Amino acid sequence: MLLLACSYVCSQNKREFRGAWIQAVNGQWMGVGTRQMQQTLTYQLNELQKDGVNAIIFQIRPECDALYQSSLEPWSRFLTGTQGLAPSPYWDPLQWMVTECHRRGMELHAWINPYRAKTKTTHELDRRHVAIRHPEWVFDYDGQYILNPAIPECRTYICHVVGDIVRRYDIDGLHIDDYFYPYPVAGQKIPDDREFQRYNNGFADRGDWRRNNVNLFIRQLSDTIHQNKPWVKFGVSPFGIYRNKKNDPNGSNTNGLQNYDDLYADVLLWVNNGWVDYNVPQLYWEIGHKAADYQELIGWWNKYASRRPLFIGEDVERTVKNADPQNPNTHQMAAKVNLRSKMKNVQGAVLWYAKAAVDNVGNYGTLLRNTYWKYPALQPQMTFIDGKAPKKVRKPKVIQTEQEGPVLFWREPKGNGWKNEAVQYVVYRFSQGEKVDIDNPSHIVAITRNTYYRLPGRGNRDTYVVTALDRLHNESKIKKVKY
């Protein structure tokens, strides 16, 4: 176990998506007030940064509402306790999170639930809510309201909301989860007979028609995001089973609910057509689960979903609750990390959920920061959006300052347009006589939006290297300075 951990530290990838979901729908922010929520988020972000996390997926729209300033939808009750009530003292959680994540070298991905308009526990909607303004757009299913995926105006409305978010906030990604058509409930029927007659587009099969409705939305949403800001990544985190082998010879050897058949979500079509920029299947089960074995599923997604970056949704609590079948004296974290490292198309993981890692359940956070995510990581490249690196930084030099001591300064490179502009910088340190190798992440001392880095102590003739990153983490050539 110790040898495995040590070897993993030495072989860490320089590029890896290390995400964590911060949710609102569990009510953790409901009515806590501005100051306490900011304090809690600050603590969580600081701890996650120590754990090596480089991307936060922050829930901002649980039920056609807003944890951000919106002229289109009401303030979320999951923020203030009452839908439509603004926070007091006033603040904008999304803008605050963008600023705080970028300050820590993290990406911020805004997470919306596209179709869910009311959760079971919500009993009063604000007059501005879409279900009040357009009751004909929603249907009731098991106590929830769902924007009807069959109605073109619903797809356009969601895209209008997303376009507003993308234009006004400097987010790095727009993220949707696994809720399209509702999860099936025994005795409940989706009431879409009228829409099937009106909008069937020649489909005879109800399932094919529903899948097409979701496909139309995914493509429209992708276009909306990239037409507004081409660099904003569009990600989806679907349920962990695409299809079972008994329904499809190419399916996984599993026996559970299916994206394709039960949620009408044809995830592989979206990946293979390039409609999404990254995919995070929720593999929340343990290795050896009878119906949905983690090892079986990670191998399946690695084989069939390689056309776009693939990250794995990891359940922190279930991982540390279950013993490793090969080593019953320890939990499954090491085994799962090892499996991910063996999958050539897996480029990262997202933790469900952030607080579990922060609370260090099962020593998970400690293992991240001391072993598996010990060194910083850049984001995986997405050359299908942009693969060209910015120019080198200019005029790096060390200046002795009265207040801060020695500080390494540099100037941003010249570049016009989002594809050529530098937005972040990487600082590496190499000891005297040590070979400069920027492929080794153990030498990264900072990933920053600043054009300076405070140097520790007195000079030891170390070599510092600075590179520039653009919005897609394409990295420039190096510039060196000794101190």
Side-chain angles (χ1 to χ4, degrees), residues 115 149-159 213 216-217 220:
Y115 283 110
I151 299 175
E153 288 82 0
C154 291
R155 300 194 288 268
T156 299
Y157 172 75
I158 299 166
C159 290
N213 293 334
L216 291 171
F217 165 69
Q220 186 177 351

Side-chain angles (χ1 to χ4, degrees), residues 123-226:
H123 304 296
E124 189 174 345
L125 298 177
D126 183 76
R127 60 182 176 81
R128 294 174 53 228
H129 192 274
V130 64
I132 300 299
R133 292 186 289 114
H134 290 284
E136 73 280 8
W137 286 1
V138 303
F139 60 79
D140 191 334
Y141 189 91
D142 193 38
Q144 301 179 88
Y145 287 171
I146 308 295
L147 281 175
N148 194 329
I151 299 175
E153 288 82 0
C154 291
R155 300 194 288 268
T156 299
Y157 172 75
I158 299 166
C159 290
H160 183 48
V161 170
V162 168
D164 174 64
I165 294 166
V166 172
R167 284 189 296 273
R168 291 194 294 118
Y169 294 91
D170 189 20
I171 60 175
D172 302 287
L174 192 289
H175 185 89
I176 62 174
D177 53 20
D178 49 321
Y179 294 100
F180 303 102
Y181 278 90
Y183 277 71
V185 175
Q188 299 275 330
K189 181 177 180 292
I190 296 174
D192 59 1
D193 290 346
R194 181 181 60 188
E195 287 76 22
F196 185 49
Q197 289 182 343
R198 183 176 179 184
Y199 301 114
N200 68 44
N201 295 320
F203 283 94
D205 180 81
R206 185 78 61 111
D208 290 341
W209 170 72
R210 287 175 178 165
R211 276 184 289 276
N212 185 63
N213 293 334
V214 179
N215 293 340
L216 291 171
F217 165 69
I218 294 294
R219 187 168 189 178
Q220 186 177 351
L221 183 58
S222 179
D223 290 344
T224 298
I225 294 165
H226 295 125

Side-chain angles (χ1 to χ4, degrees), residues 365-400:
T366 299
L367 286 165
L368 285 178
R369 68 180 63 182
N370 292 338
T371 305
Y372 301 116
W373 291 353
K374 181 175 182 178
Y375 303 121
L378 277 61
Q379 298 293 341
Q381 288 183 287
M382 295 191 178
T383 55
F384 51 88
I385 299 177
D386 172 37
K388 184 179 179 181
K391 294 181 178 179
K392 294 187 286 188
V393 302
R394 297 179 294 151
K395 299 183 178 179
K397 62 180 178 180
V398 177
I399 297 177
Q400 288 287 344

Side-chain angles (χ1 to χ4, degrees), residues 73-94:
E73 297 189 311
W75 284 103
S76 176
R77 81 174 182 93
F78 292 108
L79 178 64
T80 63
T82 302
Q83 192 174 93
L85 179 65
S88 180
Y90 177 84
W91 70 307
D92 184 327
L94 176 55

